[in-house]
């Protein structure tokens, strides 16, 4: 083919338009790629390969795009969303990027990672999210890898109202460095209003990796031609409604399911999703946006000497401070930021003494709500000052207590209403009291589905399952058995449930009896902690049933745990380890490895909070 003939060839218009969007470096790479492809089609060896062999330092990088792995370690979905944003940003800037959920990541691959980005939340008492427990154990165990060839960066998400704020991110970051890794960027910690800080971190990471791309003379077009692998799960929700755009659903039914004499107030809610297009699976959670209590808002305004009509700018709009407190600001959960900021403004000697140390602040906010601080140390604030002390309101997540195959276009919740006394007055949780007290039946509730792929029934309906829960931790197990009954699953089902009193707190008692009668609840054990002098909890039942539990495990059973992360879930895990060691005749270390293998194989799953 002569040069003249080549020059006379015309390109398709769509290809010409695509070429017009490329820069000089991209065009240069594409030119070499096309020449190589032409040589291959004529039966010759790729000229690019030949040249790369002759000049490895100059041209080989063109054939090896900069590979980046993002690990998403999420508990409520926020870390996963940030990781997805990070992936999109990097892919758009010419980086070959793979996003993998921590639950699906093989820890032994860590030593092979050259560029590793970790986005992680924190749960319980500063622990990693459930899906990242195996990764955490591996890094902190005896088989931890040498990471001297790995560059990394960590973004932590947390809640500053808890003592161990972003502790999982801090621990991962420190350990990766200790094992020889080099930081691409300093760790960043995000509070509940994480988006702005996360956006900045993503931008910084993107710039840093683009610089590395340029240093290695790599083309940004390489990633689009190589079709990078991603382990993102397709959304199962299939709806225009999500956390940012919630659906206004109807509260169809609200029923108290604890007895009048119970110390607990638990409500069964049925919410109508008709017309939303929202779909869920057993194990998922329902996100609920709520409005704060008008009476609490009035108390706060009075304590800081505001009438409520003062204007503030929030999310680019001018609104009155009363509306902001009702709809947009967190006023039921105290934070170190609020206490420290208010102490500076009020300059009260007693309050200043309370905030002298981090430990003192944490003790104080755990026992004192925001209104308690304001009423104990009253001080006049401007509306802007009050706004600056408070965090944005965030939705609450509740484990779904129903199967769509059983209830149709409804979703059911099991909500424990938080009530406590402070300075002689009963206070309530923001979302739980909203659902229990302030939304009327047939009223509207703004909701969305939060997928939880780390708490799923076995794909094989013949597989036995063991469900362990306490209190409102019963919710997902009701969904599990509704689903298994709907599918006429043959796998055995075992429930171990605990609460305070048999007569007052046996949640869904009639339904469990019905499941047993119909052959879908094959074994059950109940722990009523206050029905005798000695308190009995679910972990005691696990130890009592050691032999049976071990037999079920040998038959391939999956174990599910739902409930309080800091106490119940830890006690249950220790009981499981004791049973495994005893029945399997294993050492403590071997039992821990056995349970972690169950976790990695998704046979041990927890929904803890």
């Amino acid at each position: 083919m002569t040069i003249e003939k080549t020059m006379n060839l015309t390109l398709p218009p769509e290809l010409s338009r695509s070429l017009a969007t490329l820069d000089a470096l991209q065009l240069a790479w594409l030119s070499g790629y096309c020449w190589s492809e032409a040589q291959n089609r004529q039966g010759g060896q790729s000229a690019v390969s030949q040249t790369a062999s002759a000049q490895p330092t100059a041209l080989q990088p063109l054939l090896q795009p900069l590979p980046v792995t993002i690990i998403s370690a999420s508990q409520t979905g926020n870390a996963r969303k940030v990781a997805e944003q990070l992936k999109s940003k990097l892919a758009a800037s010419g980086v070959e990027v793979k996003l993998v959920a921590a639950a699906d990541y093989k820890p032994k691959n860590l030593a092979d990672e050259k560029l590793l980005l970790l986005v992680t939340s924190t749960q319980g008492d500063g622990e990693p999210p459930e899906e990242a427990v195996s990764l955490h154990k591996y890094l902190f165990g005896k088989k931890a890898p040498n990471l001297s060839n790995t560059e990394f960066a960590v973004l932590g998400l947390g809640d500053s109202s808890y003592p161990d704020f972003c502790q999982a991110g801090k621990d991962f970051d420190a350990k990766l460095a200790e094992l020889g890794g080099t930081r691409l960027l300093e760790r960043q910690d995000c509070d509940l209003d994480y988006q702005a800080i996360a956006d900045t971190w993503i931008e910084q990471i993107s710039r840093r990796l683009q610089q590395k791309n340029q240093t290695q003379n790599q083309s940004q077009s390489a990633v689009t031609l190589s079709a990078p692998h991603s382990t993102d799960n397709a959304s199962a929700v299939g709806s225009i409604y999500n956390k940012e755009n919630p659906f206004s659903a109807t509260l169809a039914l609200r029923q108290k399911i604890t007895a009048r004499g119970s110390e607990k107030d638990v409500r069964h809610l049925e919410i109508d999703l008709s017309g939303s297009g929202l779909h869920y699976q057993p194990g998922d959670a329902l996100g609920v946006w709520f409005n704060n209590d008008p009476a609490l808002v009035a108390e706060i305004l009075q304590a800081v000497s505001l009438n409520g009509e003062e204007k503030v700018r929030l999310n680019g709009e001018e609104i009155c401070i009363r509306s902001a407190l009702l709809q947009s600001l967190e006023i039921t959960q105290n934070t170190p930021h609020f206490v420290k900021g208010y102490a500076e403004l009020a300059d009260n000697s007693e309050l200043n003494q309370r905030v002298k140390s981090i430990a003192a602040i944490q003790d104080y906010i755990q026992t004192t709500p925001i209104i308690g601080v304001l009423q104990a140390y009253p001080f006049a604030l401007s509306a802007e000052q009050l706004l600056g002390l408070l965090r944005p309101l965030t939705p609450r997540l509740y484990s779904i207590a129903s199967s769509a195959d059983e209830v149709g276009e409804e979703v059911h919740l099991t909500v424990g209403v938080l009530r406590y006394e402070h300075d002689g007055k009963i206070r309530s949780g923001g979302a739980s009291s909203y659902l229990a007290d302030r939304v009327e039946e047939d009223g509207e509730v703004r909701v969305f589905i939060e997928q939880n792929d780390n708490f799923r029934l076995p794909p094989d309906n013949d597989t036995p399952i063991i469900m362990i829960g306490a209190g409102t931790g019963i919710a997902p197990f009701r969904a599990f058995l509704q689903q298994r009954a709907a599918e006429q699953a043959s796998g055995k089902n075992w429930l171990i449930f605990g609460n305070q009193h048999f007569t007052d707190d046996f949640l869904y008692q009639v339904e469990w009896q019905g499941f047993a009668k119909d052959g879908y609840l094959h074994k059950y054990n109940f722990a009523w902690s206050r029905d005798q002098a000695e308190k009995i909890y679910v972990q005691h039942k696990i130890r009592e049933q050691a032999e049976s539990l071990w037999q079920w495990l040998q038959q391939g059973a999956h174990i599910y745990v739902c409930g309080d992360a800091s106490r119940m879930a830890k006690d249950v895990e220790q009981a499981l380890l004791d049973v495994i060691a005893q029945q399997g005749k294993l050492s403590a270390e071997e039992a821990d490895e056995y349970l972690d293998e169950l976790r990695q194989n998704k046979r041990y799953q927890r929904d803890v909070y």
Side-chain angles (χ1 to χ4, degrees), residues 175-205:
K175 180 55 70 172
L176 291 170
E178 181 186 319
L179 294 172
T182 302
R183 288 186 180 88
L184 274 168
L185 204 65
E186 289 299 311
R187 187 197 76 249
Q188 186 67 60
D189 299 331
C190 303
D191 208 338
L192 289 182
D193 49 341
Y194 59 85
Q195 197 61 63
I197 294 176
D199 287 345
T200 301
W201 186 82
I202 289 172
E203 189 64 38
Q204 291 172 334
I205 284 289

Side-chain angles (χ1 to χ4, degrees), residues 132-157:
V133 171
S134 290
L135 178 64
H136 188 273
K137 281 179 174 289
Y138 181 71
L139 281 171
F140 283 80
K142 294 179 180 178
K143 299 178 182 178
N146 183 323
L147 300 179
S148 55
N149 293 322
T150 302
E151 293 183 90
F152 72 91
V154 175
L155 180 72
L157 276 66

